[in-house]
Coordinates of all heavy atoms in Angstrom, one line a residue:
M1 N 104.4 94.3 89.9 CA 105.1 94.8 91.1 C 104.5 96.2 91.4 O 104.3 97.0 90.6 CB 106.5 95.0 90.8 CG 107.3 95.5 91.9 SD 109.0 95.4 91.6 CE 109.7 96.5 92.9
R2 N 104.1 96.3 92.7 CA 103.4 97.7 93.1 C 104.6 98.6 93.4 O 105.8 98.4 93.9 CB 102.7 97.5 94.6 CG 101.4 96.5 94.3 CD 100.7 96.3 95.5 NE 101.1 97.1 96.7 CZ 100.7 96.9 98.0 NH1 100.0 95.8 98.2 NH2 101.2 97.6 99.1
N3 N 104.2 99.8 93.0 CA 105.2 100.9 93.3 C 104.9 101.6 94.6 O 103.9 102.3 94.8 CB 105.1 102.0 92.2 CG 106.0 103.1 92.4 OD1 107.1 103.0 93.1 ND2 106.0 104.1 91.5
E4 N 105.5 101.0 95.7 CA 105.2 101.6 97.0 C 106.3 102.6 97.5 O 107.5 102.5 97.2 CB 105.4 100.4 98.0 CG 104.2 99.5 97.9 CD 104.2 98.4 99.0 OE1 104.9 98.6 100.0 OE2 103.7 97.3 98.7
K5 N 105.8 103.7 98.1 CA 106.7 104.5 98.7 C 106.5 104.5 100.3 O 105.3 104.6 100.7 CB 106.2 106.0 98.3 CG 107.1 107.0 99.0 CD 106.8 108.3 98.6 CE 107.8 109.3 99.2 NZ 107.5 110.7 99.1
I6 N 107.6 104.3 100.8 CA 107.5 104.2 102.4 C 108.0 105.5 102.9 O 109.1 106.0 102.6 CB 108.5 103.2 102.9 CG1 108.1 101.8 102.3 CG2 108.6 103.1 104.4 CD1 108.9 100.6 102.7
E7 N 107.1 106.1 103.8 CA 107.4 107.3 104.5 C 107.7 107.3 106.0 O 107.0 106.5 106.7 CB 106.1 108.3 104.3 CG 106.1 109.5 105.0 CD 104.6 110.2 105.0 OE1 103.7 109.7 104.5 OE2 104.7 111.4 105.5
T8 N 108.7 107.9 106.4 CA 109.2 107.8 107.8 C 108.4 108.8 108.5 O 108.3 110.0 108.2 CB 110.7 108.2 107.9 OG1 111.4 107.2 107.2 CG2 111.1 108.0 109.4
L9 N 107.7 108.4 109.6 CA 106.8 109.2 110.3 C 107.5 109.7 111.7 O 107.3 110.7 112.2 CB 105.5 108.5 110.8 CG 104.6 108.0 109.6 CD1 103.5 107.2 110.1 CD2 104.1 109.2 108.8
S10 N 108.3 108.9 112.2 CA 108.9 109.2 113.4 C 110.2 108.4 113.7 O 110.1 107.2 113.3 CB 108.0 109.0 114.6 OG 108.5 109.3 115.9
T11 N 111.1 108.9 114.3 CA 112.4 108.1 114.8 C 112.7 108.5 116.1 O 112.8 109.7 116.3 CB 113.5 108.3 113.7 OG1 113.1 107.9 112.4 CG2 114.7 107.6 114.2
V12 N 113.0 107.6 117.0 CA 113.3 107.9 118.4 C 114.6 107.0 118.6 O 114.7 105.8 118.3 CB 112.2 107.3 119.2 CG1 112.6 107.6 120.7 CG2 110.9 108.1 118.9
R13 N 115.5 107.5 119.4 CA 116.8 106.9 119.7 C 116.5 106.6 121.3 O 116.2 107.6 122.0 CB 118.0 107.8 119.6 CG 118.1 108.1 118.0 CD 119.3 109.2 117.9 NE 120.5 108.7 118.2 CZ 121.3 108.0 117.4 NH1 120.9 107.7 116.2 NH2 122.5 107.6 117.9
L14 N 116.8 105.4 121.6 CA 116.6 105.0 123.2 C 117.7 104.1 123.4 O 118.4 103.4 122.7 CB 115.2 104.6 123.3 CG 114.8 103.3 122.6 CD1 113.8 102.6 123.3 CD2 114.1 103.8 121.3
Q15 N 117.8 103.9 124.8 CA 118.8 102.8 125.3 C 118.4 101.5 124.9 O 117.2 101.1 124.9 CB 118.8 102.9 126.8 CG 119.8 101.9 127.4 CD 119.9 102.1 128.9 OE1 119.3 103.0 129.5 NE2 120.5 101.1 129.6
N16 N 119.3 100.7 124.3 CA 118.9 99.4 123.8 C 118.7 98.4 124.9 O 119.1 98.5 126.0 CB 120.3 98.8 123.1 CG 120.0 97.5 122.4 OD1 118.8 97.3 122.0 ND2 121.0 96.8 122.2
N17 N 117.7 97.6 124.6 CA 117.2 96.6 125.4 C 117.0 95.3 124.7 O 116.3 95.4 123.7 CB 115.9 97.0 126.2 CG 115.4 96.0 127.2 OD1 115.1 94.9 126.8 ND2 115.3 96.5 128.5
P18 N 117.4 94.1 125.1 CA 117.2 93.0 124.2 C 115.8 92.6 123.9 O 115.4 91.7 123.2 CB 118.0 91.9 125.0 CG 118.3 92.3 126.4 CD 118.2 93.9 126.3
E19 N 114.9 93.1 124.9 CA 113.4 92.8 124.7 C 112.7 93.8 123.7 O 111.5 93.5 123.5 CB 112.7 92.9 126.1 CG 113.4 92.0 127.1 CD 112.7 90.7 127.2 OE1 111.5 90.6 127.1 OE2 113.5 89.7 127.4
L20 N 113.4 94.8 123.3 CA 112.7 95.8 122.4 C 112.0 95.1 121.2 O 111.0 95.5 120.6 CB 113.6 97.0 121.9 CG 113.9 97.8 123.0 CD1 115.0 98.9 122.5 CD2 112.7 98.8 123.4
Y21 N 112.6 94.1 120.6 CA 112.1 93.5 119.3 C 110.8 92.9 119.6 O 110.0 92.9 118.6 CB 113.2 92.5 118.8 CG 113.1 91.1 119.5 CD1 112.4 90.2 119.1 CD2 113.9 90.9 120.9 CE1 112.2 88.9 119.8 CE2 113.8 89.7 121.5 CZ 113.0 88.7 120.9 OH 112.8 87.5 121.6
K22 N 110.5 92.5 120.8 CA 109.1 91.9 121.0 C 108.1 92.9 120.8 O 107.0 92.6 120.4 CB 109.1 91.3 122.5 CG 110.0 90.1 122.7 CD 109.9 89.7 124.1 CE 110.9 88.5 124.3 NZ 110.7 88.0 125.7
I23 N 108.3 94.2 121.3 CA 107.4 95.3 121.1 C 107.2 95.5 119.7 O 106.1 95.7 119.0 CB 107.8 96.6 121.9 CG1 107.8 96.3 123.4 CG2 106.9 97.7 121.6 CD1 108.4 97.2 124.2
V24 N 108.4 95.7 119.0 CA 108.3 96.0 117.5 C 107.5 94.8 116.8 O 106.7 95.1 115.8 CB 109.7 96.2 116.9 CG1 109.6 96.4 115.4 CG2 110.3 97.5 117.6
D25 N 107.8 93.6 117.1 CA 107.1 92.4 116.4 C 105.7 92.5 116.7 O 104.8 92.3 115.9 CB 107.6 91.1 116.9 CG 107.2 90.1 116.2 OD1 107.2 89.9 115.0 OD2 106.7 89.1 116.9
S26 N 105.2 92.7 117.9 CA 103.8 92.8 118.2 C 103.1 93.9 117.5 O 102.0 93.7 117.0 CB 103.7 93.0 119.8 OG 102.4 93.1 120.2
L27 N 103.7 95.2 117.5 CA 103.1 96.1 116.7 C 102.9 95.9 115.3 O 101.9 96.3 114.7 CB 103.9 97.6 117.0 CG 104.0 98.2 118.3 CD1 105.1 99.2 118.3 CD2 102.6 98.8 118.6
N28 N 104.0 95.3 114.6 CA 103.8 95.0 113.2 C 102.8 94.0 112.9 O 102.0 94.0 112.0 CB 105.2 94.4 112.8 CG 106.2 95.7 112.3 OD1 105.8 96.6 111.8 ND2 107.5 95.5 112.6
R29 N 102.7 93.0 113.8 CA 101.6 91.8 113.6 C 100.3 92.6 113.9 O 99.3 92.3 113.2 CB 101.8 90.8 114.7 CG 103.1 89.9 114.3 CD 103.3 88.8 115.4 NE 104.6 88.2 115.3 CZ 104.6 86.9 114.6 NH1 103.6 86.4 114.2 NH2 105.7 86.3 114.5
T30 N 100.1 93.4 114.9 CA 98.8 93.9 115.2 C 98.4 95.0 114.2 O 97.1 95.1 113.8 CB 98.9 94.6 116.5 OG1 99.3 93.7 117.6 CG2 97.5 95.1 117.0
L31 N 99.3 95.8 113.7 CA 98.9 97.0 112.8 C 99.2 96.7 111.3 O 99.3 97.6 110.6 CB 99.5 98.1 113.4 CG 99.1 98.5 114.8 CD1 99.9 99.7 115.4 CD2 97.6 98.9 114.9
K32 N 99.5 95.5 111.0 CA 99.9 95.2 109.6 C 98.9 95.8 108.5 O 99.3 96.1 107.4 CB 100.4 93.7 109.3 CG 99.2 92.8 109.5 CD 99.6 91.4 109.3 CE 98.6 90.5 109.6 NZ 98.9 89.0 109.5
D33 N 97.6 95.8 108.9 CA 96.7 96.1 107.8 C 96.4 97.6 107.9 O 95.5 98.1 107.1 CB 95.4 95.3 108.1 CG 95.6 93.8 107.8 OD1 96.5 93.5 106.9 OD2 94.8 93.0 108.5
D34 N 96.9 98.3 108.7 CA 96.8 99.9 109.0 C 97.8 100.7 108.4 O 97.9 101.9 108.6 CB 96.8 100.2 110.4 CG 95.5 99.6 111.1 OD1 94.5 99.2 110.3 OD2 95.6 99.2 112.3
D35 N 98.5 100.2 107.2 CA 99.5 100.9 106.5 C 100.6 101.6 107.3 O 101.1 102.6 107.0 CB 98.8 102.1 105.7 CG 97.8 101.4 104.6 OD1 98.1 100.4 104.2 OD2 97.0 102.0 104.3
V36 N 101.0 100.9 108.5 CA 102.1 101.3 109.2 C 103.0 100.1 109.3 O 102.6 98.9 109.4 CB 101.7 101.9 110.6 CG1 101.0 103.2 110.4 CG2 100.8 100.9 111.5
M37 N 104.3 100.4 109.7 CA 105.4 99.4 109.8 C 106.4 100.0 110.8 O 106.6 101.2 110.9 CB 106.0 99.1 108.5 CG 107.1 98.1 108.6 SD 107.8 97.7 107.0 CE 108.5 99.2 106.5
F38 N 106.9 99.1 111.7 CA 107.8 99.5 112.8 C 109.1 98.8 112.6 O 109.2 97.7 112.2 CB 107.3 99.3 114.2 CG 105.7 99.8 114.3 CD1 104.8 99.1 114.0 CD2 105.6 101.2 114.9 CE1 103.4 99.7 114.1 CE2 104.5 101.7 115.1 CZ 103.4 100.9 114.7
G39 N 110.1 99.6 112.8 CA 111.6 99.1 112.6 C 112.4 99.3 113.8 O 112.2 100.3 114.6
L40 N 113.4 98.5 114.1 CA 114.3 98.7 115.2 C 115.7 98.3 114.6 O 115.8 97.3 113.9 CB 113.9 97.8 116.3 CG 114.7 97.7 117.6 CD1 114.5 99.1 118.4 CD2 114.4 96.6 118.5
A41 N 116.6 99.1 115.0 CA 118.1 98.9 114.5 C 119.0 99.5 115.5 O 118.7 100.3 116.4 CB 118.3 99.6 113.1
L42 N 120.1 98.8 115.6 CA 121.2 99.3 116.6 C 121.9 100.5 115.9 O 122.1 100.7 114.7 CB 122.2 98.3 116.8 CG 121.9 97.2 117.8 CD1 123.2 96.1 117.9 CD2 121.6 97.8 119.2
D43 N 122.3 101.5 116.7 CA 123.0 102.6 116.1 C 124.4 102.0 115.6 O 125.0 101.2 116.3 CB 123.3 103.6 117.1 CG 124.0 104.9 116.8 OD1 125.1 104.7 116.4 OD2 123.5 106.0 116.8
E44 N 124.8 102.5 114.5 CA 126.0 102.0 113.8 C 127.3 102.2 114.7 O 128.3 101.5 114.6 CB 126.2 102.5 112.4 CG 125.2 102.1 111.5 CD 125.3 102.6 110.1 OE1 126.4 103.3 109.8 OE2 124.7 102.2 109.2
D45 N 127.2 103.4 115.4 CA 128.3 103.8 116.2 C 128.3 103.5 117.7 O 129.3 103.7 118.5 CB 128.6 105.4 116.1 CG 128.9 105.7 114.6 OD1 129.5 104.8 113.9 OD2 128.2 106.7 114.3
D46 N 127.1 103.1 118.1 CA 126.9 102.8 119.5 C 125.9 101.8 119.8 O 124.7 101.9 119.8 CB 126.3 104.1 120.3 CG 126.1 104.0 121.8 OD1 126.6 103.0 122.5 OD2 125.6 105.0 122.2
D47 N 126.5 100.6 120.2 CA 125.6 99.3 120.5 C 124.7 99.5 121.7 O 123.8 98.6 121.9 CB 126.6 98.1 120.7 CG 127.2 97.6 119.5 OD1 126.8 98.0 118.4 OD2 128.3 96.8 119.6
E48 N 124.9 100.5 122.5 CA 124.0 100.8 123.6 C 122.8 101.6 123.1 O 121.8 101.6 123.9 CB 124.7 101.6 124.8 CG 125.9 100.7 125.2 CD 125.5 99.5 126.0 OE1 124.6 99.5 126.8 OE2 126.1 98.5 125.8
T49 N 122.6 102.0 121.9 CA 121.6 102.9 121.4 C 120.9 102.1 120.3 O 121.5 101.6 119.5 CB 122.0 104.2 120.8 OG1 122.8 104.9 122.0 CG2 121.0 105.0 120.4
A50 N 119.4 102.0 120.5 CA 118.6 101.5 119.6 C 117.9 102.6 119.0 O 117.7 103.7 119.5 CB 117.6 100.6 120.2
I51 N 117.4 102.3 117.6 CA 116.7 103.3 116.8 C 115.4 102.8 116.4 O 115.3 101.7 115.7 CB 117.5 103.8 115.6 CG1 118.8 104.3 116.0 CG2 116.8 104.8 114.7 CD1 119.9 104.6 114.8
F52 N 114.4 103.3 117.0 CA 113.0 102.9 116.7 C 112.3 103.7 115.7 O 112.4 104.9 115.9 CB 112.2 102.8 118.0 CG 110.8 102.4 117.8 CD1 110.3 101.2 117.6 CD2 109.7 103.4 117.8 CE1 109.0 100.9 117.5 CE2 108.4 103.2 117.8 CZ 108.0 102.0 117.4
T53 N 111.8 103.2 114.6 CA 111.3 104.0 113.4 C 109.9 103.5 113.2 O 109.6 102.4 113.1 CB 112.2 103.9 112.3 OG1 113.5 104.3 112.6 CG2 111.7 105.0 111.2
I54 N 108.9 104.5 112.9 CA 107.6 104.3 112.5 C 107.6 104.6 111.1 O 108.0 105.9 110.7 CB 106.6 105.0 113.4 CG1 106.8 104.6 114.8 CG2 105.2 104.7 112.8 CD1 106.0 105.5 115.8
Y55 N 107.0 103.8 110.1 CA 106.8 104.1 108.7 C 105.3 104.1 108.4 O 104.6 103.3 108.8 CB 107.6 103.1 107.9 CG 109.1 102.9 108.3 CD1 109.4 102.0 109.1 CD2 110.0 103.9 107.6 CE1 110.8 101.9 109.4 CE2 111.3 103.7 107.8 CZ 111.8 102.7 108.7 OH 113.2 102.5 109.1
R56 N 105.0 104.9 107.3 CA 103.6 104.8 106.7 C 104.1 104.0 105.5 O 104.9 104.4 104.6 CB 103.0 105.9 106.4 CG 101.7 105.8 105.6 CD 101.0 107.0 105.5 NE 100.4 107.4 106.7 CZ 100.5 108.6 107.4 NH1 101.1 109.5 106.7 NH2 100.0 108.7 108.5
T57 N 103.3 102.8 105.1 CA 103.6 102.2 103.8 C 102.5 102.3 102.8 O 101.4 102.9 103.1 CB 103.6 100.6 104.2 OG1 102.5 100.2 104.8 CG2 104.8 100.2 105.1

């Protein structure tokens, strides 16, 4: 098992849109070999807000 450390590079809060996952999926597929990963989550307290995060893997 590899000992990986995931580093958060940037986090942005924005208005939720049901199409945002398509951008995140495309970024992850395109840049998977460049040691970056992208995440998208709903704010726990506000369903209208999405949290987009960029990680270095």
Side-chain angles (χ1 to χ4, degrees):
M1 182 172 163
R2 290 179 14 191
N3 185 13
E4 292 185 18
K5 181 178 180 192
I6 297 176
E7 175 187 5
T8 300
L9 300 177
S10 178
T11 300
V12 178
R13 300 171 69 82
L14 56 151
Q15 183 176 350
N16 188 27
N17 180 306
E19 302 269 322
L20 285 174
Y21 78 93
K22 292 179 182 179
I23 294 170
V24 174
D25 183 56
S26 178
L27 288 167
N28 280 324
R29 289 174 188 263
T30 304
L31 300 172
K32 66 182 173 186
D33 294 330
D34 293 333
D35 296 329
V36 291
M37 179 174 64
F38 303 88
L40 184 65
L42 280 178
D43 184 292
E44 291 181 4
D45 299 322
D46 180 6
D47 287 345
E48 298 295 317
T49 300
I51 303 169
F52 173 73
T53 307
I54 304 171
Y55 303 96
R56 177 172 288 130
T57 58

